[in-house]
């Protein structure tokens, strides 16, 4: 009887700790942000990876926007998925004269607690790299669509990243 109570208490404590934790892990460790020389994701340096997509903050028709407005990332065997588990690398550059934020996340209506969500503030003229394990992109959202933009720029234009898997 006592042994059953101890085991039950242990499971109860474990359950409370799991539910109360604000940290949600992605499948392989999540997104890593850094410079080309110093960044790495899942133990692989950014400088050894090919850039899969490049995003540039610029003015289009008088509005700040991330270019391109639509990007497609193929994770099928013939696309980036055929790279034997190497992470995906995004290059993000700010060509504007002020700081600008790159926010990449799943559509909030379809996002799960472990879906991809990252924010990066870039200074004028700055370039950063975002490394994402391929497995994290396969579990990002139910509709395979990620949204990128600057949430603080109400007049700015956002973009969409379609992940084909």
């Amino acid at each position: 009887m006592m042994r059953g109570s101890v085991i039950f208490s242990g499971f109860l404590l474990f359950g409370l700790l799991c539910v109360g934790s604000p940290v949600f892990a992605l499948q392989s460790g999540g997104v890593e942000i850094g410079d080309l020389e110093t960044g790495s994701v899942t133990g692989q340096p950014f400088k050894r990876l090919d850039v899969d997509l490049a995003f540039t903050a610029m003015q289009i028709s008088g509005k700040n926007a991330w270019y391109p407005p639509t990007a497609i990332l193929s994770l099928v065997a013939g696309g980036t998925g055929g790279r034997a588990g190497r992470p995906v690398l995004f290059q993000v550059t700010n060509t504007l004269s002020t700081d600008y934020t790159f926010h990449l996340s799943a559509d909030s209506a379809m996002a799960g607690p472990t879906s991809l969500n990252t924010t990066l503030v870039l200074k004028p003229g700055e370039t950063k790299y975002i490394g994402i394990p391929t497995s994290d992109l396969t579990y990002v959202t139910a509709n395979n669509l990620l949204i990128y933009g600057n949430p603080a720029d109400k007049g700015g234009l956002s973009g969409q990243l379609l992940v084909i898997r």
Side-chain angles (χ1 to χ4, degrees), residues 29-43:
V31 176
E32 295 293 330
I33 297 171
D35 297 22
L36 191 61
E37 294 299 318
T38 61
S40 70
V41 61
T42 64

Side-chain angles (χ1 to χ4, degrees), residues 18-149:
C18 289
V19 171
S21 174
V23 177
F24 295 105
L26 292 172
Q27 307 304 322
S28 293
V31 176
E32 295 293 330
I33 297 171
D35 297 22
L36 191 61
E37 294 299 318
T38 61
S40 70
V41 61
T42 64
Q44 299 181 45
F46 285 170
K47 63 185 174 186
R48 291 191 184 164
L49 300 174
D50 296 327
V51 173
D52 295 296
L53 293 173
F55 299 96
T56 305
M58 59 177 59
Q59 279 219 336
I60 300 174
S61 299
K63 293 187 175 201
N64 294 335
W66 283 104
Y67 184 85
T70 302
I72 298 173
L73 180 65
S74 175
L75 297 179
V76 297
T80 58
R83 301 180 312 171
R86 286 190 316 164
V88 172
L89 189 64
F90 296 159
Q91 177 183 344
V92 184
T93 302
N94 180 9
T95 62
L96 300 171
S97 59
T98 60
D99 289 0
Y100 207 64
T101 300
F102 182 81
H103 178 79
L104 176 67
S105 66
D107 179 12
S108 62
M110 299 289 187
T114 60
S115 65
L116 185 66
N117 187 355
T118 188
T119 301
L120 169 65
V121 178
L122 296 150
K123 298 184 182 331
E126 185 175 33
T127 297
K128 291 281 187 177
Y129 294 85
I130 302 172
I132 307 169
T134 305
S135 63
D136 285 359
L137 285 169
T138 60
Y139 301 104
V140 290
T141 178
N143 62 1
N144 298 337
L145 189 65
L146 296 170
I147 307 297
Y148 54 90

